[in-house]
Amino acid sequence: MPEAFPAVTVAIAYHGGRGHTARLGEAVADGVSAVGGVEVVMVEVSEITTPQWHRLDDADAIIFGAPTYMGTASAAFHGFAEASSRRWFTRRWADKLAAGFTNSGSMAGDKSSTLAYFATLAAQHGMLWVTLGLAPGWNSGKGSEHDLNRLGFHLGAAAQSNVDSKPDVVHKSDLATAEHLGTRVATQARVFAAGRLATRP
């Protein structure tokens, strides 16, 4: 009789900023939750607790998220990243899946720098990076701002929110793109978990 499918957890380690990035994180969580048999854990890194560190340690995948401020992730996220060095010393996060999302006030806004920073952080931990996996949208006469990946990023999910707008008006396309990322990571986490189970001695 085949063994039951292994339990899978995807953690979202994010700094919510002024609320727009937190809203994006909620959309990522919705995407994770859409995949059966996958638990989602939300960790706001500016107020992370010891039990939450342990939840990250036990997760199969960690999705990093932060607003892009001055060309990189927010200071609160950088503080979390530096604190994760304790995990680096023991290789605690090695071979977990990783991905990322960010938001800024401008269309480009140097978000690629933030996503690359997340990918580098993951690489230093020995994690395996999951890309967005979408072709760029809104790049032809038939395209529109309602396309998935309307901003054309590939390393992760990127959103643009006007600096004078409230978090509840994050663009629907950006939220759908973030949801896609969550579903993609959760699906791959299940594949990896099943593979580990199948190849276990």
Side-chain angles (χ1 to χ4, degrees):
M1 183 175 179
E3 294 187 57
F5 199 94
V8 173
T9 300
V10 174
I12 301 172
Y14 72 101
H15 174 224
R18 294 176 48 243
H20 303 87
T21 307
R23 181 70 189 88
L24 209 62
E26 292 168 1
V28 174
D30 289 342
V32 172
S33 298
V35 179
V38 181
E39 178 189 11
V40 61
V41 174
M42 299 285 284
V43 176
E44 221 294 357
V45 299
S46 65
E47 50 191 25
I48 189 170
T49 64
T50 297
Q52 287 176 324
W53 277 111
H54 295 323
R55 293 304 304 271
L56 296 181
D57 294 341
D58 294 338
D60 297 276
I62 302 175
I63 303 175
F64 301 124
T68 295
Y69 294 153
M70 303 304 293
T72 188
S74 59
F77 189 91
H78 275 271
F80 158 77
E82 290 180 18
S84 75
S85 62
R86 293 189 178 187
R87 273 70 190 165
W88 179 85
F89 280 114
T90 61
R91 310 309 288 163
R92 186 66 185 83
W93 293 354
D95 297 327
K96 294 181 186 296
L97 299 184
F101 62 93
T102 188
N103 176 81
S104 72
S106 299
M107 286 293 185
D110 293 317
K111 287 186 278 281
S112 285
S113 297
T114 300
L115 294 173
Y117 169 70
F118 292 155
T120 299
L121 173 65
Q124 289 184 338
H125 278 286
M127 303 170 80
L128 306 171
W129 189 257
V130 179
T131 64
L132 182 60
L134 286 174
W138 203 12
N139 63 358
S140 72
K142 295 181 179 180
S144 79
E145 65 177 292
H146 304 294
D147 293 344
L148 283 178
N149 195 21
R150 69 183 180 114
L151 301 181
F153 287 81
H154 296 91
L155 270 182
Q160 180 271 333
S161 302
N162 293 336
V163 296
D164 56 354
S165 69
K166 296 184 181 300
D168 58 357
V169 293
V170 175
H171 199 287
K172 290 182 179 180
S173 171
D174 294 342
L175 293 175
T177 300
E179 187 171 338
H180 166 88
L181 178 68
T183 297
R184 179 171 165 83
V185 173
T187 299
Q188 293 304 312
R190 287 199 69 185
V191 170
F192 268 71
R196 291 190 186 99
L197 182 63
T199 57
R200 189 172 64 189

